[in-house]
Amino acid sequence: MGNPFQFLDKATDTPMPLSKLVDTFEEMSRLPVGSDDDTLLFETVTDNFTGIELFFFTLIRQYPNPEGGYFHLHMDVIYEPNEANQHFTCAISSRETEGGFFDFVRRSPAYLSAQNERIVKVSVYLDEVC
């Protein structure tokens, strides 16, 4: 079984456009995690989590950890807020989308707006939830 975090962290090491980042996350989402209890999440928000107001375009893969909780593998694509993106707020799971999760993401207003904007930072991290 491949390590999804290591794959994503290494694959997003070099600057790339949003379209390539989403393609890479989609590729990572096909790596087996030893469970069928695997959910993808798409979230967008403008917030000041870091002390500076930024726009977050986030993809998350949620899958079980051995202790009975879940891993959340995040890929935050971070932008400066602007007139277009500051109004986008979305939180949807792959279980709520019809016609394919990544098709939904690529058709979303947030994606269409952000795909040509300058990316400030890409952050890949893994956390655990109970």
Side-chain angles (χ1 to χ4, degrees):
M1 168 171 35
N3 182 315
F5 171 76
Q6 288 176 343
F7 172 86
L8 191 61
D9 193 43
K10 184 172 175 32
T12 59
D13 227 9
T14 57
M16 59 180 69
L18 180 61
S19 59
K20 180 72 173 147
L21 289 165
V22 172
D23 290 349
T24 301
F25 195 92
E26 183 175 16
E27 185 179 347
M28 177 280 301
S29 74
R30 292 191 287 266
L31 292 176
V33 290
S35 172
D36 290 336
D37 187 8
D38 189 2
T39 303
L40 301 171
L41 305 162
F42 171 48
E43 299 176 352
T44 59
V45 68
T46 298
D47 209 319
N48 61 353
F49 300 122
T50 61
I52 301 168
E53 191 157 284
L54 297 165
F55 174 70
F56 291 80
F57 182 102
T58 301
L59 294 171
I60 302 167
R61 184 178 186 188
Q62 174 184 290
Y63 54 96
N65 71 20
E67 288 79 46
Y70 286 91
F71 288 120
H72 278 188
L73 175 51
H74 294 249
M75 181 180 74
D76 291 341
V77 184
I78 303 168
Y79 297 87
E80 291 182 7
N82 61 39
E83 193 60 40
N85 68 23
Q86 67 184 353
H87 303 293
F88 296 129
T89 55
C90 175
I92 194 158
S93 82
S94 54
R95 296 174 186 188
E96 300 171 80
T97 59
E98 292 186 25
F101 177 77
F102 289 100
D103 289 337
F104 176 88
V105 169
R106 289 182 183 101
R107 286 191 316 263
S108 72
Y111 176 87
L112 296 173
S113 173
Q115 67 182 345
N116 295 316
E117 297 290 330
R118 186 182 72 80
I119 296 170
V120 173
K121 181 181 180 183
V122 176
S123 178
V124 172
Y125 61 97
L126 186 67
D127 61 13
E128 293 184 59
V129 294
C130 299

